[in-house]
């Protein structure tokens, strides 16, 4: 055990407990905790109403068992046994789960990019908070002494302060006071030092405390049980609190509600965009059209765009070398309409590997020159992926359902993997698990070891009840930033699986009015999922819960033309800007979308009380877990 932390007011506990009794309890808890391999433990004092001098001490611990599953438990110290185990932690939490107690009544833990809350007397999850995004997989958390403020670590080495209604009133009082900025800076440093145990580098002091505060939902017990919650229950008649509890799906239907930019195209090509990607630097966007021609847009660094990164605020240049060369793939002799375009970009953005039904071409991204071509069909390449540790090794999904592991440098196929029955439609490497996950038009997923290239497991995608899938439909796969959770995209659903066993964790089915899903991708921080649909709309889902929080209608980014049916076929996320994405359209256009600068993000996640929880009903679509189907 890393340490046993006692609650605020250590002096009070020391005065109330006999030192020998306290030492014995502490040593026994250490021994028990070390045996189970737990990470942290906290004491919580609970007052009984029988006597103001009669106290009972509860011991909680949080850790990971031999199977890698995390848990929070309460101990019966007199018997040395677990009294209760709390439900709701992720099956395999990423990192060490941090937790704390407050109000002698509640537990909180940072897990699955959320802050989760429990009533000490109930094993069921009470509620969760996403703190408006930006949390790490296992956020570090700490309540203040009164339990009205909660500090939560963020991905960018900062801290967010969550507050219940009483905490908000305290912060408003602090905000209204005049204060010396040097004193604030000094206090920030002190608090930063106190939080270094939990991996927080610093606490930035901005111009306004309230600008950095996220409202923590009132901790209300389930089933209407509100006993002993007077201190945290919102005051009746507080209109501002009641309004904060009302959540609405963010609907964007007008151009004035977001920032959009259609990228300039002097070629006047109306060929649909088949593939789309940002460069790894975020300075350019590369598209592959159905006619096998690549287009590259670059943003210039200037006064309006100091970083030179892709943005909807500045028009980029459709870039082409002075030689006039176009990056054009070799087209096969067969019907080009039947070709499946694919490409992959090297880590340093120096070259792109691409195919459109013919030979695979390797292009120099600076000169557009073809460096080499290889692997003439049949079978044709249908998906390409670079090995994360070696750019010379690529996995090539083929039309004949095989996967070839190819070494570009020596022009040799190292091995051929067979496990699908139809063409390969997706490939994703995990450099943490050392596996390659493949998906096919047969709606099947396979996991391959990258060490011996043997198949570890396979699973068929479950088509939602009442939905009919096409006999041949693309299934795409993409790893979360944690390199363990896997995003699976099919025309009928979006699902999250856990690799390498391919256990399905969550599933989201869109309303039938949206039409089929054409594509979906994680945002760069894996906090959101951007999904495009046949009706031209785009949905933004919170990745941790698969709940829809924002819907963008085609009327907000497309000019109205009743005679044309234009919709996005592919969607790409900016590599560093979590709220920016690009759409590749059926009319050949590429559009960059960002929220208004005044908003800064695409909507807010719905609170649990507005639905059936992370695995319940959400905004006209059903999100389920395997557990709910058993």
């Amino acid at each position: 055990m890393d340490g046993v932390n006692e609650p605020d007011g250590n002096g009070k506990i020391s005065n109330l407990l006999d030192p020998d009794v306290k030492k014995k309890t502490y040593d026994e808890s250490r021994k028990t905790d070390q045996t189970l391999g737990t990470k942290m433990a906290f004491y919580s004092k609970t007052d009984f109403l029988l006597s103001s001098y009669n106290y009972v001490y509860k011991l909680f611990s949080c850790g990971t068992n031999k199977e890698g599953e995390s848990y929070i438990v309460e101990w019966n110290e007199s018997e040395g046994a677990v009294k209760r185990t709390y439900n709701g932690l992720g099956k395999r939490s990423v990192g060490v789960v941090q937790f704390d107690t407050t109000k002698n009544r509640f537990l909180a833990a940072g897990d699955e990019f959320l802050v989760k809350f429990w009533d000490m007397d109930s094993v069921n999850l009470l509620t969760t908070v996403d703190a408006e995004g930006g949390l790490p997989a296992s956020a570090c958390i700490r309540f203040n002494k009164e339990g009205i403020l909660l500090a939560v670590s963020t991905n960018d080495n900062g801290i967010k302060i969550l507050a219940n209604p009483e905490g908000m009133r305290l912060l408003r009082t602090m905000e209204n006071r005049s204060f010396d900025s040097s004193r604030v800076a000094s206090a920030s440093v002190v608090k930063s030092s106190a939080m270094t145990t939990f991996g927080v580098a610093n606490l930035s002091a901005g111009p306004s405390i309230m600008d950095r505060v996220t409202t923590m939902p009132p901790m209300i017990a389930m089933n209407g049980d509100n006993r002993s919650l007077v201190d945290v229950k919102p005051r009746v008649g507080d209109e501002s609190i009641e309004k904060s509890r009302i959540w609405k799906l963010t609907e964007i239907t007008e151009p004035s509600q977001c920032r959009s930019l259609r990228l300039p195209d002097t070629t006047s090509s109306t060929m649909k965009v088949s593939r789309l990607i940002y460069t790894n630097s975020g300075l350019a966007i590369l598209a592959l059209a159905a006619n096998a021609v690549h287009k590259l847009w670059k943003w210039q660094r200037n006064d309006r765009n100091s970083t030179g990164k892709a943005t909807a605020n500045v028009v980029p240049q459709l870039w082409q070398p002075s030689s006039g060369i176009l990056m054009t793939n070799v087209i096969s002799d067969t019907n080009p309409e039947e070709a499946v375009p694919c490409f992959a970009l090297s880590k340093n953005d120096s070259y792109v590997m691409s195919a459109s039904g013919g030979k695979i071409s390797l292009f120099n991204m600076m000169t557009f020159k073809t460096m080499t071509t290889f692997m003439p069909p049949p079978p044709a390449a249908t998906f390409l992926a670079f090995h994360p540790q070696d750019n010379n090794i690529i996995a090539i999904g083929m039309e004949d359902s095989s996967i070839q592991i190819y070494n570009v440098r020596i022009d040799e196929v190292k091995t051929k993997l067979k496990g699908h029955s139809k063409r390969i439609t997706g490939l994703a490497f995990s450099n943490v698990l050392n596996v390659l996950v493949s998906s096919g038009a047969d709606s099947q997923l396979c996991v391959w070891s990258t060490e011996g290239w043997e198949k570890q497991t396979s699973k068929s995608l479950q088509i939602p009840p009442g939905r009919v899938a096409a006999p041949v439909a693309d299934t795409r796969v993409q790893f979360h930033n944690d390199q363990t959770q896997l995003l699976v995209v099919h025309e009928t659903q979006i699902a999250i699986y856990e690799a390498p066993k391919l256990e399905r964790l969550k599933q989201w089915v869109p309303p039938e009015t949206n039409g089929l899903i054409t594509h979906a991708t994680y945002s760069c921080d894996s906090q959101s999922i951007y999904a495009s649909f046949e009706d031209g709309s785009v949905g933004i889902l919170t990745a941790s819960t698969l709940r829809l929080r924002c819907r963008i209608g085609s009327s907000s980014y497309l000019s109205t033309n009743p005679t044309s049916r234009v919709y996005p076929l592919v969607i790409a996320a900016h590599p560093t800007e979590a709220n920016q994405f690009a759409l590749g359209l059926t009319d050949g256009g590429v559009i960059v979308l960002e929220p208004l600068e005044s908003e800064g993000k695409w909507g807010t996640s719905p609170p649990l009380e507005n639905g059936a929880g992370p695995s319940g009903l959400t905004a006209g679509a059903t999100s389920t877990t395997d557990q709910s189907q058993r």
Side-chain angles (χ1 to χ4, degrees):
M1 185 177 69
D2 295 337
V4 176
N5 293 325
E6 298 177 352
D8 297 307
N10 289 345
K12 292 183 180 179
I13 294 178
S14 299
N15 293 334
L16 290 167
L17 281 180
D18 179 80
D20 293 335
V21 175
K22 182 180 178 183
K23 182 177 186 303
K24 179 181 178 183
T25 306
Y26 175 84
D27 290 342
E28 286 179 350
S29 67
R30 280 183 59 88
K31 181 179 179 182
T32 305
D33 205 56
Q34 286 173 337
T35 302
L36 292 176
T38 55
K39 301 295 188 295
M40 300 182 68
F42 297 90
Y43 281 101
S44 174
K45 180 183 69 177
T46 301
D47 296 338
F48 280 97
L49 299 178
L50 297 175
S51 168
S52 60
Y53 297 98
N54 190 8
Y55 293 91
V56 172
Y57 295 87
K58 292 187 176 183
L59 174 65
F60 301 90
S61 67
C62 178
T64 306
N65 62 20
K66 293 180 180 178
E67 286 71 36
E69 297 176 348
S70 297
Y71 60 88
I72 294 179
V73 298
E74 178 187 351
W75 292 91
N76 185 326
E77 292 188 79
S78 61
E79 299 177 5
V82 172
K83 183 176 181 180
R84 56 168 61 94
T85 300
Y86 295 90
N87 303 323
L89 280 184
K91 288 199 171 182
R92 281 176 173 79
S93 300
V94 179
V96 177
V97 175
Q98 311 284 351
F99 82 111
D100 199 1
T101 66
T102 187
K103 294 288 186 180
N104 304 323
R105 180 65 187 279
F106 297 101
L107 292 163
D111 181 47
E112 293 188 309
F113 308 96
L114 300 167
V115 180
K116 299 181 177 180
F117 296 89
W118 292 265
D119 187 311
M120 290 180 182
D121 297 327
S122 174
V123 298
N124 295 320
L125 191 65
L126 185 64
T127 188
T128 65
V129 175
D130 68 357
E132 300 182 351
L135 303 186
S138 297
C140 305
I141 66 170
R142 179 66 72 231
F143 282 102
N144 74 330
K145 181 177 180 179
E146 294 78 15
I148 60 178
L149 300 176
L150 178 65
V152 185
S153 65
T154 62
N155 277 322
D156 57 359
N157 293 329
I159 298 173
K160 286 188 177 183
I161 305 297
L162 280 66
N164 67 6
E166 189 179 347
M168 292 295 286
R169 286 191 287 272
L170 172 64
L171 290 169
R172 288 193 184 99
T173 302
M174 294 171 62
E175 181 72 8
N176 292 332
R177 293 176 184 171
S178 59
F179 56 87
D180 181 1
S181 59
S182 63
R183 291 178 60 191
V184 173
S186 175
S188 298
V189 173
V190 172
K191 189 147 189 181
S192 170
S193 300
M195 300 293 282
T196 52
T197 305
F198 304 93
V200 179
N202 59 64
L203 177 67
S204 60
S208 171
I209 296 173
M210 297 306 297
D211 288 343
R212 305 192 303 277
V213 174
T214 300
T215 303
M216 184 168 59
M219 289 178 272
I220 306 300
M222 290 182 172
N223 304 319
D225 179 9
N226 291 329
R227 66 188 189 282
S228 304
L229 292 179
V230 177
D231 51 347
V232 291
K233 185 176 179 180
R235 293 180 180 177
V236 177
D238 191 333
E239 294 182 3
S240 63
I241 295 172
E242 290 304 316
K243 286 181 180 178
S244 69
R245 293 169 61 86
I246 300 173
W247 175 87
K248 289 181 65 177
L249 175 70
T250 301
E251 296 271 9
I252 297 177
T253 57
E254 300 292 335
S256 60
Q257 294 178 284
C258 66
R259 291 178 288 163
S260 66
L261 173 67
R262 188 178 179 106
L263 305 189
D265 189 353
T266 54
T267 65
S268 301
S269 172
T270 58
M271 299 296 290
K272 66 183 181 182
V273 178
S274 301
R275 295 291 180 266
L276 189 69
I277 192 173
Y278 282 85
T279 57
N280 295 296
S281 64
L283 303 176
I285 289 178
L286 178 68
L288 174 58
N291 61 355
V293 175
H294 301 77
K295 298 176 186 179
L296 180 67
W297 288 270
K298 288 186 177 182
W299 274 260
Q300 303 299 314
R301 187 170 297 175
N302 52 40
D303 293 340
R304 292 188 60 199
N305 186 16
S306 59
T307 64
K309 290 187 177 181
T311 173
N313 294 333
V314 177
V315 179
Q317 175 188 4
L318 179 62
W319 195 84
Q320 193 173 351
S322 56
S323 62
I325 297 175
L326 295 177
M327 284 192 293
T328 306
N329 281 331
V330 179
I331 300 176
S332 66
D333 296 331
T334 59
N335 187 356
E337 290 295 322
E338 298 177 358
V340 180
C342 54
F343 64 18
L345 193 62
S346 65
K347 287 181 183 178
N348 58 7
D349 297 332
S350 296
Y351 54 90
V352 62
M353 196 165 290
S354 184
S356 295
K359 290 182 179 181
I360 300 173
S361 299
L362 183 65
F363 296 101
N364 184 311
M365 284 284 283
M366 293 298 294
T367 64
F368 285 12
K369 290 182 178 179
T370 304
M371 298 170 67
T372 185
T373 60
F374 54 96
M375 282 198 175
T382 55
F383 204 92
L384 300 168
F386 283 100
H387 193 288
Q389 273 89 38
D390 189 350
N391 267 340
N392 291 302
I393 303 297
I394 57 172
I396 307 173
M398 310 298 287
E399 197 172 34
D400 67 352
S401 77
S402 68
I403 302 166
Q404 300 197 23
I405 307 302
Y406 180 77
N407 189 314
V408 180
R409 177 169 292 179
I410 61 176
D411 189 21
E412 181 181 299
V413 176
K414 295 181 63 177
T415 188
K416 186 181 289 188
L417 313 179
K418 294 184 178 181
H420 291 272
S421 61
K422 294 181 181 177
R423 63 178 170 83
I424 304 301
T425 59
L427 295 168
F429 282 98
S430 168
N431 51 15
V432 170
L433 299 175
N434 293 321
V435 298
L436 169 68
V437 176
S438 61
S439 59
D442 54 2
S443 299
Q444 182 169 288
L445 307 173
C446 293
V447 178
W448 313 85
S449 166
T450 56
E451 295 177 356
W453 298 109
E454 69 276 2
K455 186 165 74 171
Q456 294 186 346
T457 187
S458 63
K459 186 165 289 189
S460 295
L461 206 63
Q462 297 178 14
I463 305 302
R467 301 295 173 102
V468 179
V472 177
D474 284 2
T475 303
R476 303 289 174 83
V477 287
Q478 180 187 4
F479 271 104
H480 185 282
N481 283 351
D482 66 13
Q483 295 285 289
T484 301
Q485 292 192 25
L486 185 75
L487 173 65
V488 178
V489 181
H490 185 265
E491 62 181 23
T492 64
Q493 65 186 280
I494 291 173
I496 304 295
Y497 284 75
E498 186 176 54
K501 294 183 178 180
L502 292 181
E503 179 183 6
R504 197 184 74 184
L505 305 178
K506 302 178 183 72
Q507 181 191 48
W508 184 83
V509 182
E512 293 191 49
T513 52
N514 284 124
L516 299 175
I517 299 170
T518 59
H519 200 215
T521 185
Y522 274 125
S523 59
C524 63
D525 59 2
S526 294
Q527 301 296 300
S528 302
I529 295 171
Y530 299 120
S532 55
F533 303 91
E534 276 188 330
D535 68 349
S537 66
V538 176
I540 294 98
L541 292 85
T542 299
S544 60
T545 59
L546 279 193
R547 302 190 71 195
L548 188 68
R549 69 171 190 263
C550 179
R551 182 162 43 226
I552 303 172
S554 59
S555 56
S556 65
Y557 66 87
L558 289 176
S559 57
T560 304
N561 185 351
T563 61
S564 64
R565 180 172 173 265
V566 178
Y567 60 92
L569 284 173
V570 285
I571 189 165
H574 192 285
T576 57
E577 299 294 332
N579 289 291
Q580 184 189 137
F581 61 90
L583 302 174
L585 307 177
T586 51
D587 68 353
V590 173
I591 291 182
V592 173
L593 282 165
E594 291 181 281
L596 296 175
E597 291 182 353
S598 59
E599 298 292 332
K601 59 186 177 181
W602 299 107
T604 57
S605 297
L608 289 180
E609 56 265 30
N610 281 273
S615 58
L617 230 59
T618 167
T622 303
S623 173
T624 61
T625 63
D626 278 348
Q627 285 77 4
S628 64
Q629 294 179 346
R630 289 170 183 162

